[in-house]
Amino acid sequence: MSTPIPIYLVNQTDLAKDHADSQAWAQATGFKADSSTVCLVPGTEGTLAKVLVGKPDPVDTWTLGNLAKTLPPHTYTLADEWPAPMDTKLWLGWCLGRYSFTPYKRQSPPPTAELLPPPGADTAYVTTTVAATTLVRNLITTPAGDMGPEQLQAAAQELCDRHLANLTTLVGDELIGHNYPMIHAVGRAYTQAPRLLDITWGNPDDPKVTLVGKGVCFDTGGLDIKPAAGMKLMKKDMGGAANALGLAEMIMGMQLPVRLRVLIPAVENSIAGNALHPLDVVPSRRGLTVEVGNTDAEGRLVLADALWEAVCEEPAPQLVIDFATLTGAARVALGTELPACFSNRPELADTLLACGLGVDDPLWQLPLHQPYRTMIDSAVADLSNVSNSSFGGSITAALFLQEFTRPEIPWVHLDLMAWNVRSLPGRPEGGEAMGMRAAFELIRQKVTKGCA
């Protein structure tokens, strides 16, 4: 095996102090140690002696995120000494940057560079997180024609098989018989029957955590049909389900001492003679009736039935987290790269945001502003699935979901894009895990210690 090529993170001071032998080459190539720039320093006989990388301030998970695909495909090692948590971050960012989605490509992707695990890196965490992120990205990026409710169920089954978890399903009219009427109503117009996926894993005596993921495998908008531009990316509308499955992969892969349950309503919001009409009134698992003010606000309907099941389980969960590509309003407020976070426990939201910053997986809290609750009142039903105003759409959607939670049970709602609209270091354009690592840290730090 050839000797690994060292990588050094440098600023201008480091370059002058520690790499005097490379300064002439750096000057000749225009390398000034600007953040994330790279200088390949040649050795004797045409070899590559070392790599200098401009050191950002601060150094984070994504500092090396581009290098796996941009450096020559050799083996490298981090030459600088870093604290163990930073070793973990840097290696994780490198590994996530190796990802490519290639199932539909004839040609194999070009080889990528390898980085030896830094000495302090948590290899179990990095390996598990890369597997979870790859699962999320693959599920979301797969075309909807190949990722309907049946295929999402198969992916959940594969996850369960890997970790000796249990999967039960309710399919088609079984949803009516077991009182999940809104999941059935949203998905009944598609050729693949709607279904509820229910995963359980772990010791029943451990703290209980329940995840809920919006699994709308494609969203036409229903009879309130989306325009072409709005429909184009709707294969990602099961991004909440993908993120919930990714978080489950992390929890089970890292063997967290929790009793895990994952509920995924898997449907396609399609168009047919039996599709929901605007202003239809549908019952819910909670017993509340819901007027369908817009058939394109279907995600909150399927989530509501699953959330009510989550909070009514006995013994009650210590934490419920739902993931959903729920509203364009959240994207207008925060952009595509910053998921919105809501919670009925302010201190829990604070901890989640701190966890996100700690692992470079940021979120931003929006309020469950109760005066807006009247905006989802209905004249003919207990509530409407859409607001009577064009403003505050992410908040009113969260308030709708809150009607299907219980105040005594800690609940977090993440409204996320689940898609990178541009390529960033370690995060190529396409399906993405957002909020997953932050939620894992929340569970690892708080729930497993009984503090949620």
Side-chain angles (χ1 to χ4, degrees):
M1 180 179 176
S2 60
T3 302
I5 299 165
I7 296 175
Y8 297 89
L9 290 174
V10 298
N11 53 30
Q12 289 186 348
T13 300
D14 299 324
L15 184 61
K17 177 183 176 184
D18 301 325
H19 299 276
D21 59 333
S22 304
Q23 277 195 294
W25 179 258
Q27 184 175 5
T29 58
F31 179 72
K32 300 179 181 179
D34 294 332
S35 176
S36 300
T37 57
V38 176
C39 180
L40 305 181
V41 180
T44 60
E45 300 179 358
T47 61
L48 180 56
K50 61 183 173 181
V51 177
L52 304 178
V53 178
K55 184 193 300 182
D57 184 19
V59 176
D60 65 8
T61 299
W62 311 114
T63 297
L64 306 180
N66 277 339
L67 296 190
K69 290 184 178 179
T70 57
L71 289 181
H74 304 309
T75 300
Y76 299 83
T77 184
L78 283 182
D80 306 302
E81 291 188 4
W82 297 95
M86 186 55 69
D87 274 349
T88 299
K89 283 188 174 187
L90 290 170
W91 191 37
L92 175 62
W94 176 290
C95 293
L96 292 177
R98 298 181 63 201
Y99 174 84
S100 293
F101 184 76
T102 60
Y104 299 88
K105 295 275 191 180
R106 284 199 305 171
Q107 294 183 337
S108 298
T112 57
E114 298 282 348
L115 179 67
L116 295 179
D122 184 339
T123 57
Y125 174 81
V126 171
T127 300
T128 301
T129 303
V130 170
T133 306
T134 299
L135 173 65
V136 174
R137 290 173 173 178
N138 286 349
L139 289 174
I140 297 171
T141 309
T142 297
D146 294 331
M147 186 52 65
E150 292 175 0
Q151 291 80 20
L152 189 57
Q153 178 180 332
Q157 186 64 65
E158 291 176 8
L159 175 66
C160 291
D161 292 344
R162 286 197 300 275
H163 296 287
L164 302 180
N166 182 64
L167 172 65
T168 59
T169 60
L170 296 172
V171 181
D173 289 345
E174 291 177 335
L175 292 165
I176 297 175
H178 288 80
N179 192 27
Y180 293 95
M182 291 201 293
I183 298 174
H184 183 272
V186 170
R188 69 193 182 203
Y190 187 47
T191 53
Q192 291 186 23
R195 62 204 63 210
L196 177 67
L197 313 180
D198 189 347
I199 297 171
T200 52
W201 173 87
N203 187 336
D205 296 328
D206 284 335
K208 185 181 294 183
V209 173
T210 299
L211 312 178
V212 180
K214 175 188 169 185
V216 178
C217 295
F218 192 78
D219 181 16
T220 67
L223 293 180
D224 288 316
I225 190 168
K226 292 177 181 287
M231 200 188 301
K232 184 176 181 180
L233 262 185
M234 283 302 100
K235 68 177 184 178
K236 78 171 186 66
D237 212 21
M238 38 66 68
N243 273 267
L245 291 174
L247 180 52
E249 175 83 68
M250 292 190 70
I251 291 169
M252 295 187 288
M254 293 295 290
Q255 292 286 305
L256 290 194
V258 299
R259 175 60 169 175
L260 176 66
R261 189 180 190 194
V262 184
L263 293 167
I264 294 176
V267 302
E268 175 165 324
N269 186 24
S270 195
I271 299 172
N274 62 340
L276 280 172
H277 305 90
L279 299 188
D280 276 354
V281 175
V282 293
S284 69
R285 184 169 182 78
R286 184 183 171 185
L288 297 174
T289 55
V290 179
E291 184 179 28
V292 182
N294 192 313
T295 65
D296 195 21
E298 83 299 330
R300 65 201 69 181
L301 299 177
V302 299
L303 282 171
D305 271 356
L307 275 173
W308 190 247
E309 166 60 20
V311 300
C312 289
E313 186 182 7
E314 294 295 341
Q318 294 192 12
L319 175 64
V320 173
I321 304 176
D322 78 74
F323 293 83
T325 52
L326 204 63
T327 67
R331 311 289 76 79
V332 171
L334 301 175
T336 60
E337 296 164 15
L338 190 60
C341 162
F342 299 82
S343 180
N344 61 356
R345 296 283 196 284
E347 69 282 359
L348 183 63
D350 290 343
T351 302
L352 175 61
L353 267 59
C355 287
L357 291 176
V359 296
D360 302 318
D361 189 19
L363 308 114
W364 195 267
Q365 186 180 6
L366 294 179
L368 289 165
H369 187 56
Q370 293 305 314
Y372 289 174
R373 168 58 186 82
T374 57
M375 295 163 66
I376 54 172
D377 284 342
S378 165
V380 300
D382 294 318
L383 68 164
S384 171
N385 74 327
V386 291
S387 167
N388 57 19
S389 168
S390 60
F391 300 107
S394 60
I395 296 174
T396 54
L399 290 170
F400 178 90
L401 294 180
Q402 189 177 30
E403 292 292 312
F404 299 89
T405 64
R406 293 164 58 194
E408 64 270 24
I409 297 177
W411 164 62
V412 173
H413 162 54
L414 298 182
D415 186 340
L416 62 152
M417 179 70 172
W419 188 271
N420 294 323
V421 298
R422 59 175 179 163
S423 289
L424 296 169
R427 294 149 291 175
E429 182 180 345
E432 186 59 284
M434 294 181 171
M436 178 187 75
R437 291 181 295 113
F440 177 82
E441 286 303 314
L442 174 71
I443 295 166
R444 178 158 70 169
Q445 293 182 20
K446 305 294 286 185
V447 176
T448 59
K449 297 177 183 178
C451 299

